[in-house]
């Protein structure tokens, strides 16, 4: 399973569960929950939302990376553990949930079975279709390069990062009353720019995101020489973005389709 930095998780999930975006979590019936386990919680972006929406519940965040668990804020309880072997007794939780975890696992159905074992009631997963991400930008090169980088990433990654809706896998894991709904996470950058927007522009200028993904990007048809060329184009694009931000003319909109799938044990 790939490892992610705290910075990466905060950047990619920033704003996803703002107050006005939480309707997608309604199928989880959070106010009724007593014990919630958030699997692959990372730095706890979803965990803190679960704790806020289920104010009377005990929320446990499970992750295999101790560095990420060290970033999980209270009142979430961080616990080190693996998605395929949760440190939870049978039926201990009444909700086991994950966000953008199954797309990083070689056998998502096995993880869903483990979630069902640990839950006395509901299992829920929030998974993206990374193959359907769209980017619109006032810097023309950004749209083109983002699409190229995404295609190479999809070609090189070993798991199904376009997983999205998984009702068939829920049913294969023995869950019933399965439902799926689509939620589009849209993130917009426009004046006045936030500190996070400026930091993202700096990462484009340095090409750090492509550097972090180098192993995956070059695992497919993209060789080392072509990767270096792509990264130089990316950095040049980043300089265009930085210049446009300085002029106050830069705007960007990214939409990531997510699917919320829920089901109950038979």
């Amino acid at each position: 399973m790939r490892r992610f930095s705290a910075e990466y998780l905060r950047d990619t999930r920033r704003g996803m569960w703002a107050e006005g975006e939480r309707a997608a979590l309604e199928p989880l019936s959070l106010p009724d929950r007593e014990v919630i386990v958030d699997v692959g919680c990372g730095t706890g972006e979803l965990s803190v939302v679960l704790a806020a929406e289920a104010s009377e519940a005990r929320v446990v965040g499970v992750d295999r990376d101790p560095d990420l668990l060290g970033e999980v804020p209270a009142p979430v309880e961080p616990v080190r553990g693996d998605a395929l072997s949760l440190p939870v007794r049978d039926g201990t939780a009444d909700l086991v949930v994950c966000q953008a975890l199954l797309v990083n696992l070689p056998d998502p159905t096995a993880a869903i079975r483990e979630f069902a074992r640990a839950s006395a009631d509901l299992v829920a997963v929030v998974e993206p279709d990374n193959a359907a991400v769209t980017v619109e930008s006032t810097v023309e090169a950004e749209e083109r390069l983002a699409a190229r980088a995404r295609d190479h990433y999809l070609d090189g990654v070993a798991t199904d990062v376009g997983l999205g809706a998984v009702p068939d896998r829920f049913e294969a894991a023995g869950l019933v009353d399965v439902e799926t709904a689509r939620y589009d996470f849209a993130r917009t950058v426009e004046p006045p720019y936030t500190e996070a927007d400026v930091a993202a522009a700096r990462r484009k200028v340095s090409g750090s995101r492509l550097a972090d993904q180098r192993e995956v990007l070059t695992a497919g048809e993209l060789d080392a020489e072509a990767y270096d060329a792509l990264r130089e184009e990316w950095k040049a694009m980043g300089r265009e973005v930085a210049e446009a931000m300085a002029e106050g003319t830069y705007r960007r909109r990214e939409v990531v389709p997510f699917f919320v799938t829920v089901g109950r044990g038979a």
Side-chain angles (χ1 to χ4, degrees), residues 24-48:
L25 298 176
E26 288 181 4
L28 280 58
S29 301
L30 293 173
D32 302 326
R33 299 299 159 197
E34 296 181 0
V35 179
I36 301 172
V37 177
D38 180 13
V39 187
C41 67
T43 51
E45 279 75 16
L46 176 60
S47 305
V48 295

Side-chain angles (χ1 to χ4, degrees), residues 89-163:
R89 295 190 302 273
D90 293 1
T92 298
D94 56 359
L95 170 62
V96 177
V97 60
C98 72
Q99 173 179 307
L101 172 68
L102 302 185
V103 290
N104 297 306
L105 299 180
D107 188 353
T109 305
I112 295 168
R113 288 195 185 97
E114 176 65 358
F115 297 175
R117 178 197 65 77
S119 177
D121 186 24
L122 202 69
V123 171
V125 303
V126 184
E127 293 295 324
D129 180 354
N130 290 307
V133 175
T134 60
V135 174
E136 298 175 355
S137 173
T138 52
V139 174
E140 185 276 333
E142 183 169 21
E143 294 184 21
R144 172 172 49 82
L145 291 173
R148 280 176 56 192
R150 182 169 60 253
D151 287 346
H152 288 304
Y153 187 87
L154 293 170
D155 182 47
V157 72
T159 59
D160 185 2
V161 294
L163 189 64

Side-chain angles (χ1 to χ4, degrees), residues 24 27-28 95-98 102 112 115 122-127 163-171 175-183 258-264:
L28 280 58
L95 170 62
V96 177
V97 60
C98 72
L102 302 185
I112 295 168
F115 297 175
L122 202 69
V123 171
V125 303
V126 184
E127 293 295 324
L163 189 64
V166 290
D168 54 338
R169 293 180 182 271
F170 266 49
E171 291 164 359
L175 293 168
V176 298
D177 299 331
V178 178
E179 298 179 1
T180 296
R182 175 170 170 157
Y183 158 61
F258 277 83
F259 292 83
V260 181
T261 303
V262 299
R264 287 183 166 80

